[in-house]
Amino acid sequence: MIDLKPVDTLVIGSGPGGYAAALRSAQLGMTTAIVERSRIGGVCTHVGCIPSKALIGEAHRFKLHKQWNHTVAADSFDDAQAYKEAVVNKQAGGVQYLLKTAGVMILEGEASLIDEHTASIQQAGAEQRISFKNAILATGSRPIELKALPYGGRIMSSTEALSLSQIPKSLAVIGGGYIGVELGQMYAKFGTKVTILEGGGQVLPGFEADLAAPVVRQLNEDGITIITEAIAVNAEQDASGLTLHYVTQGEQHAVRAEYALVTVGRRPNTDGGLGLENIGLQATGKGLIETDVQCRTAVPHIFAIGDITAGPALAHKASYEAKVAAEAIAGKPSIVDYRAMPLVVFSEPELASVGLTETACKEQGIPVIVGKSSFSINGRALALKEVSGFVKIIADQASGIVKGAQIVGIEASTLISELALAIEMGATVEDLAMTIHPHPTLGEVIMEAAENAVRKMRIAK
């Protein structure tokens, strides 16, 4: 056993939360170590956000190429996978470079808390121990596995779905949330016959129906079959594929596919030897660790961030909480504020939301004005032949302060940042309407939605 040099901050997990925490800790002058059991960058970099967006981008280009040329090279998917790997490797290398140049000690192995100030790091039968003044737990999450559909063979999680060597002829997706829609639509663009089974009444259940509608239309145009209120029961695998049995409206049905992709959510990595019991911490029934506004657990010098805490499992939520936790350790008065936390789906068209929805405002009894504007009359969208969707801005009826916003349309993932800033700074719809937006750009749709809200406010008065 080797005893390592003590550190001020130990970070367990090197995903977008972990590496952001380590970097901020080092920037604030604290000696910092980060432990990773797999690959620096975590799930997001290697088998999540980055590779999925690389393949989604390649799928868009593949579809356009096919529309113009009608034929595509047989090795196009090989090229897409190679490009994805190059992107992943460059991103991972960049993360490692940032950590090293910041002076962060990088440790490889499985970390387990022995007591409140000591962790054991196991790798290939060898043990290292490190003592710390503070720790930030950023161990992330993994795909939920259904008992009736265990992973293996032709039943995949998102991890395996991103690494197929060939385009499947057919794919059954269990779960119509954002991961199921993104990956299902990506493969459909490559030519796969996709069926999505969703247990609820609509795909993308976290979004209001009017936001989801343009995406559903595109899914249909892409040849994707959507079956709602469908519960997967089991699957029978054979040499050429599988038969997936499901129940909808009380009736038994089956769909034949080459592979099945299960996307029903993610489970926090708080089990499996992290050692929470050794420091008196207990996860909730859902595997989450309870924290305060500084991401501090019940053990004051131990913090938890990202997917192992309450809230959506988002990379940018984890990196945001990482900075708050590191700054709290440094004695700064930083606290979390989730009012302007965006949510993005990289579907076609893209979906993005920030702040309160119109439905949430009604449920909370907040009188609001809703301003909308469509991409269909926007010059830039017309030039790009991407006219599906709209921008919706929800503002307080009396003050005009922006309470929330939703976008469905081209570059929604980029445009939502302007509206997140508006919420963060307490801007009004008049502020947005009076901001000069260059022409012709997609951002003008935000300005026009704000102008629509301003007109409605004046009428209401």
Side-chain angles (χ1 to χ4, degrees), residues 27 38 40 148-149 161 175 215 232 257 269 338-339 365 375 431 437 455:
Q27 289 165 359
S38 182
I40 293 294
L149 296 164
V215 180
N269 290 328
Y338 299 115
R339 287 177 300 169
F375 285 98
D431 292 325
H437 289 69
R455 287 193 295 271

Side-chain angles (χ1 to χ4, degrees), residues 193-260:
K193 173 58 181 174
V194 176
T195 302
I196 297 178
L197 304 179
E198 164 57 38
Q202 70 166 53
V203 293
L204 300 168
F207 288 87
E208 294 174 314
D210 62 336
L211 267 292
V215 180
V216 172
R217 283 197 297 271
Q218 185 60 51
L219 293 173
N220 291 329
E221 288 181 21
D222 289 336
I224 296 175
T225 300
I226 301 171
I227 305 172
T228 56
E229 298 180 355
I231 305 299
V233 177
N234 56 46
E236 299 161 354
Q237 300 190 49
D238 54 46
S240 61
L242 53 77
T243 301
L244 176 64
H245 299 275
Y246 65 95
V247 175
T248 180
Q249 297 181 345
E251 295 183 359
Q252 301 258 354
H253 298 273
V255 60
R256 181 73 182 173
E258 191 173 348
Y259 290 96

Side-chain angles (χ1 to χ4, degrees), residues 50-82:
I50 303 304
S52 66
K53 303 316 170 280
L55 284 179
I56 287 168
E58 288 294 276
H60 281 297
R61 287 184 279 276
F62 180 91
K63 180 182 177 182
L64 289 172
H65 186 79
K66 191 173 181 180
Q67 286 174 339
W68 282 100
N69 294 282
H70 305 292
T71 60
V72 292
D75 59 355
S76 293
F77 194 63
D78 292 339
D79 292 342
Q81 286 287 11

Side-chain angles (χ1 to χ4, degrees), residues 360-378:
C361 288
K362 288 179 181 178
E363 290 173 350
Q364 296 178 30
I366 303 172
V368 294
I369 290 291
V370 178
K372 291 181 71 174
S373 184
S374 172
F375 285 98
S376 65
I377 55 173
N378 174 264

Side-chain angles (χ1 to χ4, degrees), residues 317-357:
K317 170 180 174 287
S319 58
Y320 168 70
E321 291 170 341
K323 295 168 187 174
V324 171
E327 289 171 4
I329 290 171
K332 297 184 179 295
S334 301
I335 61 172
V336 293
D337 181 352
Y338 299 115
R339 287 177 300 169
M341 181 65 66
L343 173 65
V344 174
V345 181
F346 289 86
S347 52
E348 182 191 357
E350 291 182 351
L351 268 172
S353 179
V354 65
L356 296 175
T357 64

Side-chain angles (χ1 to χ4, degrees), residues 73-354:
D75 59 355
S76 293
F77 194 63
D78 292 339
D79 292 342
Q81 286 287 11
Y83 175 73
K84 178 206 76 176
E85 288 302 314
V87 171
V88 167
N89 291 335
K90 186 170 185 178
Q91 178 79 2
V95 171
Q96 194 147 4
Y97 173 80
L98 288 172
L99 291 170
K100 286 181 176 179
T101 54
V104 176
M105 183 193 310
I106 301 174
L107 304 171
E108 297 180 359
E110 184 89 22
S112 178
L113 297 166
I114 297 173
D115 58 44
E116 292 186 3
H117 288 282
T118 313
S120 169
I121 303 163
Q122 301 274 350
Q123 185 185 41
E127 181 185 12
Q128 296 176 309
R129 289 197 177 187
I130 187 167
S131 61
F132 55 85
K133 293 179 182 177
N134 306 277
I136 300 175
L137 309 180
T139 51
S141 62
R142 62 188 185 276
I144 290 175
E145 184 175 35
L146 297 175
K147 289 182 179 179
L149 296 164
Y151 296 131
R154 295 184 176 275
I155 300 176
M156 308 180 294
S157 72
S158 56
T159 299
E160 295 78 39
L162 290 169
S163 298
L164 290 177
S165 59
Q166 294 181 325
I167 300 170
K169 293 181 176 63
S170 54
L171 176 68
V173 180
I174 298 106
Y178 73 95
I179 296 176
V181 166
E182 285 183 357
L183 297 188
Q185 193 173 43
M186 179 267 287
Y187 270 113
K189 291 182 189 302
F190 278 118
T192 302
K193 173 58 181 174
V194 176
T195 302
I196 297 178
L197 304 179
E198 164 57 38
Q202 70 166 53
V203 293
L204 300 168
F207 288 87
E208 294 174 314
D210 62 336
L211 267 292
V215 180
V216 172
R217 283 197 297 271
Q218 185 60 51
L219 293 173
N220 291 329
E221 288 181 21
D222 289 336
I224 296 175
T225 300
I226 301 171
I227 305 172
T228 56
E229 298 180 355
I231 305 299
V233 177
N234 56 46
E236 299 161 354
Q237 300 190 49
D238 54 46
S240 61
L242 53 77
T243 301
L244 176 64
H245 299 275
Y246 65 95
V247 175
T248 180
Q249 297 181 345
E251 295 183 359
Q252 301 258 354
H253 298 273
V255 60
R256 181 73 182 173
E258 191 173 348
Y259 290 96
L261 167 60
V262 179
T263 60
V264 294
R266 299 187 64 83
R267 187 181 308 282
N269 290 328
T270 50
D271 52 2
L274 182 56
L276 296 181
E277 67 281 0
N278 296 330
I279 60 170
L281 275 182
Q282 186 174 1
T284 67
K286 294 183 177 180
L288 301 173
I289 298 175
E290 294 181 348
T291 57
D292 66 9
V293 293
Q294 289 195 309
C295 304
R296 196 184 304 269
T297 72
V299 181
H301 64 281
I302 293 180
F303 298 71
I305 61 172
D307 295 3
I308 61 173
T309 64
L314 301 170
H316 48 279
K317 170 180 174 287
S319 58
Y320 168 70
E321 291 170 341
K323 295 168 187 174
V324 171
E327 289 171 4
I329 290 171
K332 297 184 179 295
S334 301
I335 61 172
V336 293
D337 181 352
Y338 299 115
R339 287 177 300 169
M341 181 65 66
L343 173 65
V344 174
V345 181
F346 289 86
S347 52
E348 182 191 357
E350 291 182 351
L351 268 172
S353 179
V354 65

